[in-house]
Amino acid sequence: MIGVAPYLLFAGMLALMALRWPIWTAMFVPGAIGYLWLSGLDPLLASLKGLTFARFSIYDLAVIPLFLLMGQLATQGGLSAALFRAATAFVGHWRGGLAQASVLACAAFGSICGSSVATAATIAQVALPEMRRYRYDGGFATATLAAGGTLGILIPPSVVLVLYAILTEQSIAKLFAAALVPGFIAAVLYCVAIAVFMRFRPAFGPAEPRVPMRQRLGTLAAVAPVLGIFLLVLVGIYGGVFTATEAASVGALATAVAGFAAGQLTVRRFARALLTTAQTTGAIFMIFIGADLLNSALALSQMPAQIAGLITQADLPPVAIVACIMLFYIVLGGVMDELSMLLLTLPVVFPAVMQLPLYGLGYEHKAVWFGILLLTVVNIGLIAPPIGLNVYVVGMQARDVPVARTYRFVSIFLAADVLRLVLLVAAPILSLWLVRFVR
Amino acid sequence: MERGLRALATGLALAGGALLVGLAGLTVASISGRWLASRPITGDVELVQLGVATAIALFLPYCQLHRSHLIVDFFTARFSGPMQRRLDAIGSAVAGAVFLLLAWRAGAAVLDMRAAGETTMVLGVPLWLPYAAMVPGLALAGVTGVLAAVRPAQAAGER
C-alpha cells in the first residue's frame, strides 16, 4: 500500500496543477491527504500549527523578499531604461544589434535583480517598443527578451541559487561566485546565437544608426549606479563583509536611494514597488508551504529512498547519470514550475548525487557545481515549451505575437543553452574557478 | 464589502512592504554599528526573522486578491472563458479554505505558546506574538479566496 501512495500523490499534484489550481494548493492538498493517510489527523493538525511561521521566519530566506524588493525598486527607478539606452548606443548599429543590446541590458539588470521573470518583464517594457519600431520580427523580439530574462537568475543575485543554498546547506556566497562565469558565458552565447541567426535571416533584425563615441560614453553615466550597487552587494558577500541577507538589505536601500536621487522614483512608484514585491513574495512563500507539506508526506513513505537507490545504483558512468538527471529535469520542467520542482526533488536527488564520484571533486565543490548545472536546466525550463514562464511574461506585453511564434525563435536560444549546459557538465572548472576567491 | 476588502488588503501589503524596508534599514544600521563602533544592534537577526515573517503574512491577502499565485494554464488554454473561470473559482475556493485552515492552526499555536510561555533566545520576545501576527494575513487571504469563488465575475477583471 505504502509503495504506491507517494506516486499517487505526485500524480494527483500534476492533475490538480493541470486543472488550474494554484500550484501551492496543488501540492498542499495531496500533501495533507498523504499525511492523513500515512500518520493520521492529529499529527497533521499538529504539524500545521507551526508550518507557516517556521517557513516564513527562516533568516536566510529573508534574502528573497529583499532581493525582490531591490529588483522592483530598480524597475520603478528607471534603471532598466538607462541600461538599455547605454547598450543600444554601443551595439545598436549591428545587424540584430537591438536584440543583442536587450541581452546585454538583461545581463546588467540581472546583476542587481534575482528574478528572471522580473528581468524579462522590466527590460521588455523598454526594449520591445524599440525593437518593434525598427521592424524587428515580433516573435524574434519576444524570444530574445524571454531568453535574456533568464540572465536575471543566472547572474547573481539569484533567487534560485539562494533556494538551492538553503536546501543543500551550502554557502550562498560561493554559489553566487560560481554563477558569475557561467552567467557571462550565457550572455555571450546568446549574442553569438543572435549574430549567427542574423547571417541567415538579416531582415528579422535591421540595424539602427551608429551612435558617435562621445554620445556613447555619455550614456554610461546613468548606468553607473547599477554597477556601483552590483559591486557593493557582491564584493560585500564575496569578501565575507556581509551575509547575503545583509547584502540584500544594503542593495535594496542603495537602489531606493539611487532611484530617488535620479528623480525617477516617486512615492507612488515606490508604493508600486512594495506592492509588486508583496505579490511575488507571497506567491513564492506559499509554494514553500505547499512543497513543505507534500515533502513531509513523501518523506513518510519509501519513495525518496527508492528513487535515491535508483540513482546511486544505476549501472552507468557517474557523469552519464548526471546527464540523465539534467534531462529528467528538463522534461519535468516542461510540466512543473521550476521552484516547486526543485523543492520537491532536491531532498532526494541531492544526497544521491553527492554519493557519486564526479571528476574527483570534493563534497563542497560537487555541491556548488551541481547547483550551477541545476540553475542552467531551470533556465531552460523557463523558456522551453510547453510551459515557459518567461515566454508568457513577455507575451503579455506583445499580445499580437502568438506564443507559438515566440517558441519558434526561442529555439535559437535553447541551442545556446544546451551548448552551455554541455560545457558546464564537461568542465566543472568553469563554475568552480572563482569559488576559491570567496572568503 | 469588496471595496473595503480591497482597501484593507492593499493597506496590509503596503504595511508589510514598509516593514520590510524598515528591516533593511535596521540591518544596515546594525552593519554600520558593527563596522564603525564594533557594536551591532542586539538581536538584529531575530528582529529580521520575526519582522520578515510578519511582512510575508501581511502580503498574502493582496497576493490572493490579485491572483498572483502561480497557476499552470497550458492544459486549459483551449477551454472556453466561462469554463476557465469555473475552474479558477474552484482554485480560489480551495486556496481560501487552506488559508483559513492555516489561520486556525496558527491561532491554536498562539494558545500553545502562551500556555508554554516560550520566548525568543536573544531578546526574550514572547513567541506567541509572531504566531499571532500570522493570523490576520492568513485569515483575510482565506476570506478573499472564498469570496472570489462565490463571485467569480467580480474577480475576472483582476489579474
mmCIF file of all heavy atoms in Angstrom, chain B residues 10-31:
data_model
loop_
_atom_site.group_PDB
_atom_site.id
_atom_site.type_symbol
_atom_site.label_atom_id
_atom_site.label_comp_id
_atom_site.label_asym_id
_atom_site.label_seq_id
_atom_site.Cartn_x
_atom_site.Cartn_y
_atom_site.Cartn_z
ATOM 1 N N THR B 10 -4.779 45.982 0.394
ATOM 2 C CA THR B 10 -3.725 46.861 -0.115
ATOM 3 C C THR B 10 -2.996 47.533 1.040
ATOM 4 O O THR B 10 -1.761 47.626 1.043
ATOM 5 C CB THR B 10 -4.325 47.925 -1.056
ATOM 6 O OG1 THR B 10 -5.170 47.261 -1.998
ATOM 7 C CG2 THR B 10 -3.244 48.683 -1.787
ATOM 8 N N GLY B 11 -3.779 47.969 2.031
ATOM 9 C CA GLY B 11 -3.175 48.615 3.192
ATOM 10 C C GLY B 11 -2.213 47.675 3.919
ATOM 11 O O GLY B 11 -1.088 48.057 4.272
ATOM 12 N N LEU B 12 -2.664 46.428 4.117
ATOM 13 C CA LEU B 12 -1.805 45.460 4.811
ATOM 14 C C LEU B 12 -0.535 45.196 4.013
ATOM 15 O O LEU B 12 0.564 45.100 4.578
ATOM 16 C CB LEU B 12 -2.555 44.135 5.033
ATOM 17 C CG LEU B 12 -3.695 44.138 6.066
ATOM 18 C CD1 LEU B 12 -4.259 42.737 6.221
ATOM 19 C CD2 LEU B 12 -3.237 44.680 7.402
ATOM 20 N N ALA B 13 -0.675 45.071 2.673
ATOM 21 C CA ALA B 13 0.503 44.795 1.836
ATOM 22 C C ALA B 13 1.488 45.956 1.915
ATOM 23 O O ALA B 13 2.709 45.752 2.019
ATOM 24 C CB ALA B 13 0.085 44.546 0.398
ATOM 25 N N LEU B 14 0.955 47.194 1.883
ATOM 26 C CA LEU B 14 1.848 48.355 1.986
ATOM 27 C C LEU B 14 2.525 48.376 3.352
ATOM 28 O O LEU B 14 3.723 48.669 3.468
ATOM 29 C CB LEU B 14 1.071 49.650 1.757
ATOM 30 C CG LEU B 14 0.710 49.927 0.294
ATOM 31 C CD1 LEU B 14 -0.205 51.147 0.194
ATOM 32 C CD2 LEU B 14 1.970 50.153 -0.533
ATOM 33 N N ALA B 15 1.759 48.037 4.405
ATOM 34 C CA ALA B 15 2.347 47.998 5.745
ATOM 35 C C ALA B 15 3.456 46.948 5.787
ATOM 36 O O ALA B 15 4.546 47.200 6.323
ATOM 37 C CB ALA B 15 1.269 47.670 6.774
ATOM 38 N N GLY B 16 3.201 45.778 5.189
ATOM 39 C CA GLY B 16 4.226 44.734 5.138
ATOM 40 C C GLY B 16 5.454 45.210 4.382
ATOM 41 O O GLY B 16 6.588 44.957 4.797
ATOM 42 N N GLY B 17 5.226 45.900 3.262
ATOM 43 C CA GLY B 17 6.337 46.425 2.465
ATOM 44 C C GLY B 17 7.149 47.438 3.255
ATOM 45 O O GLY B 17 8.385 47.402 3.253
ATOM 46 N N ALA B 18 6.425 48.322 3.960
ATOM 47 C CA ALA B 18 7.114 49.330 4.771
ATOM 48 C C ALA B 18 7.931 48.637 5.862
ATOM 49 O O ALA B 18 9.066 49.032 6.159
ATOM 50 C CB ALA B 18 6.107 50.296 5.386
ATOM 51 N N LEU B 19 7.362 47.588 6.438
ATOM 52 C CA LEU B 19 8.076 46.822 7.467
ATOM 53 C C LEU B 19 9.367 46.233 6.889
ATOM 54 O O LEU B 19 10.429 46.287 7.511
ATOM 55 C CB LEU B 19 7.161 45.717 7.997
ATOM 56 C CG LEU B 19 7.728 44.770 9.052
ATOM 57 C CD1 LEU B 19 8.187 45.547 10.275
ATOM 58 C CD2 LEU B 19 6.676 43.734 9.455
ATOM 59 N N LEU B 20 9.257 45.703 5.663
ATOM 60 C CA LEU B 20 10.422 45.109 5.000
ATOM 61 C C LEU B 20 11.520 46.157 4.804
ATOM 62 O O LEU B 20 12.699 45.900 5.078
ATOM 63 C CB LEU B 20 9.989 44.517 3.656
ATOM 64 C CG LEU B 20 10.975 43.633 2.912
ATOM 65 C CD1 LEU B 20 11.312 42.400 3.735
ATOM 66 C CD2 LEU B 20 10.396 43.216 1.561
ATOM 67 N N VAL B 21 11.110 47.353 4.336
ATOM 68 C CA VAL B 21 12.085 48.428 4.146
ATOM 69 C C VAL B 21 12.695 48.801 5.491
ATOM 70 O O VAL B 21 13.915 49.006 5.610
ATOM 71 C CB VAL B 21 11.417 49.663 3.492
ATOM 72 C CG1 VAL B 21 12.396 50.818 3.415
ATOM 73 C CG2 VAL B 21 10.898 49.309 2.110
ATOM 74 N N GLY B 22 11.839 48.860 6.524
ATOM 75 C CA GLY B 22 12.333 49.179 7.861
ATOM 76 C C GLY B 22 13.376 48.165 8.335
ATOM 77 O O GLY B 22 14.400 48.537 8.916
ATOM 78 N N LEU B 23 13.116 46.883 8.054
ATOM 79 C CA LEU B 23 14.057 45.839 8.471
ATOM 80 C C LEU B 23 15.372 45.967 7.716
ATOM 81 O O LEU B 23 16.447 45.736 8.284
ATOM 82 C CB LEU B 23 13.451 44.457 8.228
ATOM 83 C CG LEU B 23 12.247 44.116 9.107
ATOM 84 C CD1 LEU B 23 11.528 42.893 8.563
ATOM 85 C CD2 LEU B 23 12.676 43.905 10.543
ATOM 86 N N ALA B 24 15.277 46.346 6.420
ATOM 87 C CA ALA B 24 16.501 46.586 5.650
ATOM 88 C C ALA B 24 17.279 47.718 6.308
ATOM 89 O O ALA B 24 18.508 47.638 6.470
ATOM 90 C CB ALA B 24 16.164 46.916 4.200
ATOM 91 N N GLY B 25 16.551 48.778 6.719
ATOM 92 C CA GLY B 25 17.196 49.911 7.392
ATOM 93 C C GLY B 25 17.860 49.479 8.695
ATOM 94 O O GLY B 25 19.004 49.843 8.980
ATOM 95 N N LEU B 26 17.134 48.676 9.464
ATOM 96 C CA LEU B 26 17.668 48.172 10.737
ATOM 97 C C LEU B 26 18.954 47.384 10.502
ATOM 98 O O LEU B 26 19.948 47.543 11.211
ATOM 99 C CB LEU B 26 16.624 47.276 11.400
ATOM 100 C CG LEU B 26 17.073 46.530 12.646
ATOM 101 C CD1 LEU B 26 16.744 47.339 13.879
ATOM 102 C CD2 LEU B 26 16.443 45.156 12.727
ATOM 103 N N THR B 27 18.926 46.531 9.452
ATOM 104 C CA THR B 27 20.092 45.711 9.145
ATOM 105 C C THR B 27 21.285 46.590 8.772
ATOM 106 O O THR B 27 22.406 46.359 9.242
ATOM 107 C CB THR B 27 19.764 44.743 7.995
ATOM 108 O OG1 THR B 27 18.619 43.976 8.376
ATOM 109 C CG2 THR B 27 20.913 43.820 7.701
ATOM 110 N N VAL B 28 21.015 47.599 7.928
ATOM 111 C CA VAL B 28 22.102 48.498 7.522
ATOM 112 C C VAL B 28 22.646 49.245 8.740
ATOM 113 O O VAL B 28 23.863 49.388 8.902
ATOM 114 C CB VAL B 28 21.613 49.470 6.430
ATOM 115 C CG1 VAL B 28 22.657 50.535 6.165
ATOM 116 C CG2 VAL B 28 21.290 48.718 5.153
ATOM 117 N N ALA B 29 21.745 49.672 9.622
ATOM 118 C CA ALA B 29 22.190 50.358 10.839
ATOM 119 C C ALA B 29 23.066 49.427 11.676
ATOM 120 O O ALA B 29 24.093 49.839 12.220
ATOM 121 C CB ALA B 29 20.976 50.822 11.650
ATOM 122 N N SER B 30 22.665 48.161 11.738
ATOM 123 C CA SER B 30 23.431 47.206 12.540
ATOM 124 C C SER B 30 24.813 46.958 11.939
ATOM 125 O O SER B 30 25.806 46.877 12.660
ATOM 126 C CB SER B 30 22.658 45.893 12.652
ATOM 127 O OG SER B 30 23.334 44.996 13.480
ATOM 128 N N ILE B 31 24.863 46.865 10.583
ATOM 129 C CA ILE B 31 26.170 46.679 9.920
ATOM 130 C C ILE B 31 27.064 47.883 10.192
ATOM 131 O O ILE B 31 28.243 47.740 10.520
ATOM 132 C CB ILE B 31 25.996 46.523 8.394
ATOM 133 C CG1 ILE B 31 25.096 45.336 8.063
ATOM 134 C CG2 ILE B 31 27.343 46.338 7.721
ATOM 135 C CD1 ILE B 31 24.676 45.302 6.609
#
